[in-house]
Amino acid sequence: MTFPLDRPNHVVICPDGTRRYAIKQGLTIEEAYKVSAQRLLEVIQWLIDEHAIPNVTVYLTHPSTHITRPQGQLQALYRVFADFLAQCNIFCSEFDIQLQAVGELELLPISLYTNLKHLQAATIHHHNLLTLLIGYSARREILSAADQCPPGASFADFASFLWVQLPVHLILRTGGVPQIGDMLLLQSIEARLFFINKLFPELTRQDIDWVLAEFAKCNRCGGEDLERRRTLQ
């Protein structure tokens, strides 16, 4: 896999820290989710529209979120996600974005599942790609691919059964936790990892600019230090 010289082709955002932000700011969890949803649209716009990155993936929920999260928090999350999808209808059209969702989507309430499917169909002819990981687990993705892949297949053949096909060039996780967890494990083998010590609603355009500048600087240096982990204080 070859990295683009100046910018990544595929960026993954792990927007961690919303519940901590609610406590920090004295907000209800639903109010904090709304702030994060608005910031997420801004981040996607900065990446796709301002930096011409054609593929953006956002890790929204793990399967356990839909099972173990308190019902009050979960219902607040679903209400905000419904509003987010309504905004995406116009947003995707404005910025030429195809939306796709992967994971165990059946964990969503039926109304959200239906709206999500309609939005995917409505944006299918757009050129940039926004992938939402919902009820997603890389380990379950790998097991699913293993179940479908014939014995003796090459890695390329195996990878064709993964839910997310594109290799990841850059992962950005907020919240100060320096790990990628159960997320796109095979796709991220050569990704550069950036961990920002801010809660997601506090992420700024300057943070995005810095991360992408660091990515370009790393690549212009000839690709050394692939395992480097950058932390923005």
Side-chain angles (χ1 to χ4, degrees):
M1 178 171 60
T2 302
F3 284 102
L5 183 60
D6 293 322
R7 64 179 181 268
N9 183 60
H10 184 193
V11 171
V12 175
I13 303 294
C14 185
D16 194 14
T18 299
R19 287 180 290 174
R20 282 175 283 161
Y21 181 80
I23 296 170
K24 180 178 179 180
Q25 298 296 328
L27 302 175
T28 67
I29 190 62
E30 187 161 351
E31 289 170 336
Y33 282 144
K34 288 179 180 178
V35 175
S36 278
Q38 186 58 45
R39 182 50 43 90
L40 181 56
L41 288 174
E42 293 170 349
V43 169
I44 294 166
Q45 180 183 344
W46 298 336
L47 291 170
I48 289 178
D49 186 51
E50 297 184 13
H51 288 282
I53 293 169
N55 302 289
V56 175
T57 295
V58 182
Y59 186 25
L60 291 181
T61 63
H62 188 269
S64 63
T65 300
H66 303 268
I67 299 169
T68 64
R69 190 72 59 89
Q71 275 301 305
Q73 288 188 17
L74 199 54
Q75 293 308 311
L77 177 62
Y78 291 153
R79 286 191 294 270
V80 173
F81 186 53
D83 291 340
F84 176 81
L85 290 181
Q87 292 183 70
C88 277
N89 200 15
I90 298 173
F91 182 83
C92 288
S93 178
E94 181 177 357
F95 296 107
D96 193 25
I97 296 171
Q98 176 188 351
L99 185 143
Q100 72 171 5
V102 300
E104 298 181 36
L105 305 182
E106 65 277 5
L107 293 171
L108 290 170
I110 187 63
S111 60
L112 281 181
Y113 178 87
T114 301
N115 289 344
L116 190 55
K117 288 295 184 181
H118 286 163
L119 188 55
Q120 289 184 102
T123 61
I124 196 169
H125 297 297
H126 294 323
H127 295 92
N128 299 303
L129 181 62
L130 171 62
T131 302
L132 303 180
L133 304 182
I134 300 171
Y136 172 86
S137 159
R139 285 172 288 192
R140 296 189 187 187
E141 178 187 32
I142 292 167
L143 288 173
S144 173
D147 286 340
Q148 298 176 71
C149 189
S154 67
F155 179 77
D157 289 336
F158 177 83
S160 70
F161 291 97
L162 294 173
W163 300 337
V164 176
Q165 295 291 304
L166 288 171
V168 176
H169 294 138
L170 188 158
I171 294 175
L172 168 59
R173 178 169 185 168
T174 59
V177 178
Q179 63 181 36
I180 63 172
D182 193 9
M183 179 182 70
L184 299 171
L185 298 176
L186 293 184
Q187 298 90 335
S188 303
I189 291 172
E190 295 186 41
R192 300 192 187 279
L193 310 182
F194 291 80
F195 303 107
I196 292 187
N197 194 26
K198 289 184 176 181
L199 306 177
F200 181 70
E202 299 169 339
L203 193 68
T204 67
R205 177 188 273 108
Q206 289 72 31
D207 296 328
I208 297 295
D209 292 345
W210 179 86
V211 165
L212 293 173
E214 286 294 300
F215 178 92
K217 185 191 303 181
C218 240
N219 285 348
R220 285 196 297 269
C221 289
E224 73 268 14
D225 198 16
L226 284 175
E227 300 302 321
R228 182 170 62 160
R229 305 295 186 261
R230 298 288 303 208
T231 301
L232 177 61
Q233 299 299 333

